[in-house]
Amino acid sequence: MEKNRKERIFLDPLIRNNPITVQILGICSALAVTVKLQSAVVMALSLTFVVALSNVIVSLLRKTIPNRIRIIVQLVVVAFLVIVVDQFLKAYVFDISKQLSVFVGLIITNCIVMGRLEAFAMSNSPRRSFIDGLANGLGYGFILIVVAFFRELLGSGTIWNYQVVPQAFYDAGYMNNGLMIMPPMALIAVGLIVWIQRARQQKKEEGK
Amino acid sequence: MENIANIFVKSIFIDNMIFAYFLGMCSYLAVSKTVKTSFGLGVAVAFMLTITVPINYLIEKYLLCKGAMTWISPSFADVDLSFLTFIVFIAVVASMTQLVEMVIEKFSPSLYNSLGIFLPLIAVNCAILGGSLFMAERSYANVGEAAVFGFGSGIGWLLAIVSLAAIREKIKYSKIPKALDGLGIAFIIVGLMGLAFMGFMGIKL
Amino acid sequence: MDRNKNSYIFIYSIILVVVVAGALSLVAVLLQPKQAKNYEIEQKRNILSALKINVETKEVESTYAKIVTEIAVDDSGNEVEKEDALVLYKAQTDKGLKFVFPLSGKGLWGPIWGYLSLDEDLNTVYGAYFDHKSETSGLGAEIATEHFQSQFSGKKIFNADNQFVSVKTNKRGAQNENEVDAVSGATITSTSVSEMIESCLNKYLPYIEKSRR
């Protein structure tokens, strides 16, 4: 029973209760970084790191945090972790940190982080909170990577900066779809993912 | 003056917080079901942006940038506190939100009730912090420009949420595939609106 | 212990702030040198890019050290040792001696900058590199593309009468060897590039003319 529950904590946010497509959290900063797969992966990792660790920290502190300044304390913890991430990105993957620009900072206000802190970490043990944070981060990263994969493939003809659309296609008149690079297409892509996911879930429920 | 008008127009139409940067999406999608509430939230966001962006501008310029504190003493010329930017900005945003929340609660309880849990969430609304971060990134020349940018972004956000709410009110009467109904179609509508807004690209005064 | 007492909240926040500030300062101080290094490499890479040399990040430093020397000139065009004088770069490439001039200006929405390299005759443009902070993507942002930058190669900054005219962008397409095609739809950004090149090269004009003679 206990084991089962732990698995649920981990598996639920990945698909069935995905933070982006089901809970509508954390879309804010996410979609602008999905033009290229590489930046999407870095963003996903950064976010996972921040959610998991802030979940642990807040969970450890949960018995000491004064209720009235709860939100502020959570914000401070998150902001602290984000600054650490930002400094590391600037030091070690400078190129990508240039592309991500302000969006790393915006992890602070990513609703996933605050949402998980409020809903989970404030009332669960550090270890559970860690798993929960990790899973939510990965669920978020999963959508980010799917969207980025299609946008990069269709928009620039590359994947992970490697050319995958053969030159022969271009010679035959194929063109990169410049529209995919534009911001609105990210939204439409997510809309379609939501559609597919819900349609599948409905089928499953009807089949039961 | 021309510059200020340019920044204003650009921040509303071209660099629209929603359509170009997806900022403030969570509350944007959650609150945009009726025009009335979304107008309330839009005004609150616009108001917050107009206050916090100039405040953060001054803080950044006179406290955080490299060599910013020379006005206190020349010996501080090498002090670079810019790594504290995020935490200071969010602190300003959070405390200003608290203030606005108290004011609204006092003067317009009906608005306070209808916005419900979303007021505290303004503190974590990406649009507000995003406004400040973009302001820092783009290095505006003076506090006036920063304020205009904040105000313009807020108006852009307001415009976006009210128009989405209006569309969603109408679309209730349309037949939408069941799985697409609600969230899915909202995403796609926003995407299409974004495409329409791209028509403003390159516009200038 | 009463967690809602004012004194508790007060002490709690003070401890929190002190701990966080301390930890952050530590991180910042530890990573500062590495970050500064990155900015330096970025600048060097851009200079090399204006010289049409594209190398892997880890080779930027060594390549740069091998071929580029930094020199400073004063207002009347003499080479000086001073720190605060105008800086330009001499590069000994396998295509001969090149001069690289730093450029900076204001685009439509924010700063634009770049480097322009000239051949040994200090007239023919060898290569160019531009970047921008916030030009409109798909329009003004095109100045940062290879497509736009490669047009500059082979253009001249002096006209047939030996007058300094700089290299200009022309909306109607390049008409002579002092012009390149402007980015269509991005008039202001294109004009800004022209102005940036002209005003920045102007500062070096005494040096350029002196060295040409």
Side-chain angles (χ1 to χ4, degrees), chain C residues 12 16 37 41-42 51-52 58 68 78 97 104 109 122 134 140 181 195 202 207 212:
Chain C
Y12 193 91
L16 188 74
K37 185 105 192 149
I41 292 181
E42 175 74 10
L51 289 165
K52 296 199 219 166
K58 48 182 184 290
V68 182
N78 302 309
L97 182 65
S104 63
W109 303 118
L122 280 168
S134 44
D181 300 349
E195 278 165 9
N202 233 329
Y207 175 80
R212 288 187 78 203

Side-chain angles (χ1 to χ4, degrees), chain B residues 24 30 43 97-98 119 122 125-126 152 164 187 196 200:
Chain B
V43 170
T97 317
Q98 201 73 39
L119 262 177
I122 286 190
N125 186 313
C126 332
L164 178 67
F187 269 118
F200 290 115

Side-chain angles (χ1 to χ4, degrees), chain C residues 103 116 130 152 166-167 193-201:
Chain C
L103 311 169
L116 190 77
F130 303 109
F152 281 83
S166 177
V167 185
V193 171
S194 304
E195 278 165 9
M196 168 173 83
I197 298 175
E198 181 163 11
S199 69
C200 290
L201 285 185

Side-chain angles (χ1 to χ4, degrees), chain A residues 1-14 128 131 135:
Chain A
M1 183 68 196
E2 175 63 16
K3 185 160 174 275
N4 201 347
R5 214 169 138 206
K6 233 177 225 163
E7 259 167 30
R8 279 253 310 278
I9 296 177
F10 185 71
L11 290 179
D12 246 22
L14 285 185
R128 279 237 198 89
I131 297 175

